Amino acid sequence: MDFTTPSGQRIKKSARTTDRKEAQELHDRLKAEAWRRDQFDERPERTWEEAALAWLDDRERSDNGTLSGILRWLTDRLEGKKLSAINASLIGEITAQKRKEGVTPATVNKYLMVLRAVLRHAHSLGWIPSSPRIRILKTETKRVRYLTKDEATRLIAVLPDHKADIVRFSLATGLRMRNVLGLTWSQVDMGRRVAWIHPDQAKARRAISVPLSDEAVDVIRKQLGKCDTHVFSFNGQPIQRVNNRGWQKALKKAGIKDFRWHDLRHTWASWHIQNGTPLSVLQELGGWESVSMVKRYAHLSGEHLQKYAGNGGRVPNTSQQTLEVVKTW
């Protein structure tokens, strides 16, 4: 579809159908709506489904299973709802429904943040006058779970070679699972010993330069000739998933509890901090958007505070003084 509104705005987009008649009907409807909006300031009532699709269309990052599941759950409860009807009361009901499922507040917040993102995008398109306020639930700050060197050695020893290499590379670079599995040979320069993550692949939507340590280079060299496109593969095919039943069995066999795949990234960051890497440097290496995301690891290293530790002065030896006071009493 390609037309210009009375105000001069050009509308050019796909009708999302291969049926010419349907496309023409949609084209005519949108053109009429644009005319009414410009002439009479009429704004058609949009539904939740329209807002969700518009938000997805605007996203530069590819979809993933978690996001699809969240949108399906929300759509089951908001299908056919006008955006104007999604108010604080309805949002409160949705929050309560999700909490009744017995999930953690952090999980509920994931659903609320997607809902908030869709509504804010709808507001930016002029579909609603304002985006309703969505209260995010309070969550407990959990400890950082990371592997000791001994645990990492045990885990790698019980994994099959292709997964062991991915774990070694993750611990050497701190990259997220999808960035490791999606890494292609075109993103690696062995001569300069660097890899890179494109903005559309990064969580913060900005490019990440990944310097390659000796460990990372060794792992990559092992993959040469195994797959034409991707660095990590199995039987010549890119690996799609590693956080599966085999991963859980390996953790059990290695005697490691309470550990997720994403904790490999926490382990990488924790080891860096323990070895003296400054927080600002770690932020850049890990591609975090703000330093607050890195401060969760700050407690693992106190070297920068060591010189201030004695500023409180020495604690007096009071044992003899106390004895003399008791005698006086």
Side-chain angles (χ1 to χ4, degrees):
M1 299 181 292
D2 190 355
F3 62 89
T4 303
T5 67
S7 63
Q9 179 187 7
R10 185 181 182 186
I11 306 296
K12 185 177 182 181
K13 61 186 294 185
S14 169
R16 289 179 169 272
T17 178
T18 57
D19 187 302
R20 185 175 182 82
K21 183 179 179 180
E22 289 181 0
Q24 186 65 49
E25 289 176 354
L26 179 59
H27 169 276
D28 295 343
R29 180 167 64 83
L30 292 180
K31 192 172 181 178
E33 288 176 355
W35 185 85
R36 289 196 302 271
R37 183 170 62 248
D38 287 348
Q39 296 299 317
F40 305 110
D41 197 28
E42 289 185 14
R43 299 186 182 275
E45 278 276 12
R46 301 286 185 171
T47 64
W48 160 258
E49 296 96 302
E50 290 177 297
L53 283 174
W55 178 67
L56 282 174
D57 281 344
D58 192 59
R59 282 173 58 87
E60 295 179 2
R61 286 175 288 171
S62 59
D63 189 10
N64 57 66
T66 301
L67 178 57
S68 296
I70 291 174
L71 283 172
R72 281 196 300 270
W73 189 92
L74 289 170
T75 301
D76 285 344
R77 286 146 186 85
L78 296 172
E79 187 173 6
K81 293 283 186 184
K82 301 293 185 182
L83 293 179
S84 58
I86 304 178
N87 52 27
S89 176
L90 181 55
I91 293 169
E93 292 177 14
I94 290 173
T95 303
Q97 288 177 27
K98 194 63 192 175
R99 296 198 72 172
K100 284 181 180 178
E101 294 180 5
V103 298
T104 65
T107 298
V108 176
N109 286 342
K110 290 180 181 179
Y111 287 73
L112 294 177
M113 286 188 284
V114 171
L115 174 59
R116 181 172 63 183
V118 171
L119 294 177
R120 284 181 174 178
H121 185 255
H123 170 59
S124 72
L125 295 175
W127 291 1
I128 48 177
S130 62
S131 175
R133 182 182 178 186
I134 297 181
R135 188 182 299 277
I136 301 299
L137 304 181
K138 291 183 178 180
T139 58
E140 294 182 1
T141 302
K142 296 183 178 180
R143 65 184 178 86
V144 175
R145 175 67 169 103
Y146 66 94
L147 296 176
T148 64
K149 297 285 185 177
D150 179 63
E151 286 177 324
T153 300
R154 297 202 313 265
L155 176 59
I156 291 171
V158 298
L159 285 168
D161 287 345
H162 67 285
K163 284 188 180 179
D165 287 341
I166 295 174
V167 168
R168 287 177 59 202
F169 190 76
S170 299
L171 291 173
T173 61
L175 288 176
R176 295 177 174 88
M177 182 201 300
R178 67 172 178 270
N179 294 141
V180 175
L181 299 185
L183 189 67
T184 63
W185 289 111
S186 62
Q187 294 172 254
V188 178
D189 187 333
M190 293 291 280
R192 294 170 48 223
R193 295 170 62 100
V194 66
W196 53 88
I197 304 300
H198 299 301
D200 61 333
Q201 299 172 314
K203 186 175 181 180
R205 296 194 181 187
R206 61 186 181 90
I208 305 173
S209 178
V210 186
L212 300 175
S213 64
D214 291 341
E215 176 81 0
V217 169
D218 287 343
V219 172
I220 291 178
R221 282 177 179 155
K222 283 185 61 180
Q223 315 311 313
L224 292 170
K226 294 182 178 180
C227 180
D228 293 336
T229 57
H230 288 68
V231 175
F232 295 100
S233 62
F234 182 67
N235 289 336
Q237 298 298 318
I239 298 173
Q240 302 296 327
R241 189 165 176 261
V242 287
N243 189 11
N244 51 22
R245 191 175 300 174
W247 165 254
Q248 297 299 328
K249 287 183 178 179
L251 289 173
K252 186 175 181 179
K253 191 172 182 180
I256 297 172
K257 299 179 180 179
D258 186 27
F259 193 81
R260 308 165 303 163
W261 186 278
H262 189 71
D263 291 329
L264 293 172
R265 180 169 166 85
H266 294 321
T267 300
W268 166 81
S270 301
W271 288 358
H272 262 280
I273 289 296
Q274 291 168 353
N275 289 326
T277 302
L279 291 179
S280 58
V281 174
L282 182 62
Q283 178 186 351
E284 188 171 352
L285 286 173
W288 280 288
E289 195 168 7
S290 65
V291 72
S292 62
M293 299 296 293
V294 190
K295 285 184 176 178
R296 75 181 88 175
Y297 307 106
H299 68 285
L300 298 173
S301 176
E303 282 80 359
H304 63 297
L305 303 175
Q306 190 64 44
K307 62 181 179 181
Y308 303 108
N311 282 3
R314 293 179 62 84
V315 178
N317 185 357
T318 59
S319 57
Q320 185 61 35
Q321 296 174 6
T322 303
L323 180 59
E324 292 176 357
V325 170
V326 171
K327 289 181 178 179
T328 301
W329 285 356

